[in-house]
């Protein structure tokens, strides 16, 4: 079912982290603008609930349960997009996790490895398997989800911050490498956003007074509020659309002025 603005008519869009706050909002935008969406998430049930809802409204989409850290799973979601819809035009490489909050002396290396696996290995694997498919199609657009924590330090979240800096390095490198193939690669960098992840971070940083962390973070944001999933989805869909045809290798803050 088509509604209004149709920037993705007939395009095949793959979104990872599909069952989360940003994933759900973004998938709805892509679907409403005419895309055929493959919703990828570790949590297959929540991804299917979303795609069932969208299918019942007449949108073309399907869900794949996959762990983005596992090469076989990544191959499988890309093959699914090719079999079901004929290829991939857009990848929103968005699955991520926050990990634990600790001083460096207490850093849990298993947690560090897990954060790097999801946030960095997952992003590399997505691009590794999608780029050849895009090359065969004559081009495409990739958006990787970094963070304002990929652009400056985040003292309470060292592993997460390191992983998001790595996402930016990957984005810039693959953008320079694949521009010649008409594949654009950009990063979206949200500030703290209302939703599950920030509630968890606030709780981990100050278990006895999570609200104080929330207030302190809001005080650093010139526009005086957290981002919303809709704020992020607006940037992501813009970057993946033809309106952004000359944007490649860039970092796009959605942060109310934090990084200004
Ligand atoms: N929420 C924020 O404040 C914020 C700010 C900046 C950047 N980000 C980034 O945005 C992205 C999405 O975050 P969100 O706020 O929607 O978080 P979320 O926790 O609501 O969603 C994350 C989704 O990723 C999925 N996921 C986690 N590990 C996975 C794996 N190994 N394989 C497949 N799926 C996996 C989860 O099941 C979940 O559905 C993340 O990369 C996050 O780091 C979030």
């Amino acid at each position: 079912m088509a509604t209004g603005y149709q920037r993705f008519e007939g395009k095949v869009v793959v979104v990872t982290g599909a069952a989360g706050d940003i994933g759900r909002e973004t998938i709805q935008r892509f679907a409403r603008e005419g895309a055929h969406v493959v919703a990828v998430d570790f949590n297959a049930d929540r991804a299917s609930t979303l795609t069932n809802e969208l299918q019942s409204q007449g949108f073309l989409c399907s869900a794949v349960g996959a762990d983005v850290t596992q090469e076989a799973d990544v191959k499988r979601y890309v093959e699914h997009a090719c079999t079901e819809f004929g290829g991939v035009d857009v990848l929103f490489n968005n699955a991520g996790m926050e990990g634990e909050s600790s001083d460096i002396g207490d850093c849990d290396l298993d947690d560090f490895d897990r954060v790097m696996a999801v946030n960095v290995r997952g992003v590399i694997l997505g691009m590794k398997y999608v780029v050849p498919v895009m090359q065969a199609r004559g081009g495409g657009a990739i958006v990787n989800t970094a963070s304002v924590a990929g652009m400056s330090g985040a003292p309470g979240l060292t592993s997460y911050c390191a992983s998001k800096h790595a996402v930016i390095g990957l984005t810039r490198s693959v953008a320079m490498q694949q521009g010649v193939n008409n594949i654009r690669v950009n990063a979206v960098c949200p500030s703290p956003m209302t939703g599950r992840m920030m509630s968890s971070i606030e709780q981990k940083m100050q278990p006895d007074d999570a609200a104080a962390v929330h207030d302190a973070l809001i005080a650093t944001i010139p526009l005086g509020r957290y981002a919303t999933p809709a704020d992020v989805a607006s940037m992501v869909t813009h970057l993946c659309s033809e309106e952004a045809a000359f944007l490649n290798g860039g970092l796009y803050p959605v942060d109310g002025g934090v990084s200004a």
Side-chain angles (χ1 to χ4, degrees), residues 17-23 40-43 46 66-69 94-97 114 118-119 145-148 160 164 190-193 196-198:
D21 291 306
I22 293 175
V40 178
D41 204 285
F42 198 56
N43 189 328
R46 290 186 61 204
D67 179 345
V68 299
T69 70
N94 169 67
M97 63 177 286
R114 179 79 190 139
V118 177
N119 296 2
T145 306
S147 167
V148 289
Y160 181 78
K164 294 301 186 181
S191 63
M193 186 194 80
R196 188 215 63 80
M197 189 173 282
M198 279 314 299

Side-chain angles (χ1 to χ4, degrees), residues 146-216:
S147 167
V148 289
M151 302 166 74
S152 61
L157 286 171
T158 45
S159 300
Y160 181 78
C161 185
S163 74
K164 294 301 186 181
H165 276 70
V167 169
I168 286 174
L170 279 172
T171 300
R172 288 175 156 152
S173 302
V174 181
M176 292 175 82
Q177 183 192 94
Q178 293 299 321
V180 68
N181 294 318
N182 193 31
I183 299 172
R184 300 183 297 104
V185 189
N186 291 292
V188 64
C189 300
S191 63
M193 186 194 80
T194 305
R196 188 215 63 80
M197 189 173 282
M198 279 314 299
S199 300
S200 159
I201 289 172
E202 289 161 5
Q203 190 62 39
K204 284 172 180 171
M205 289 179 86
Q206 209 164 311
D208 52 341
D209 193 1
V213 177
H214 183 270
D215 293 347

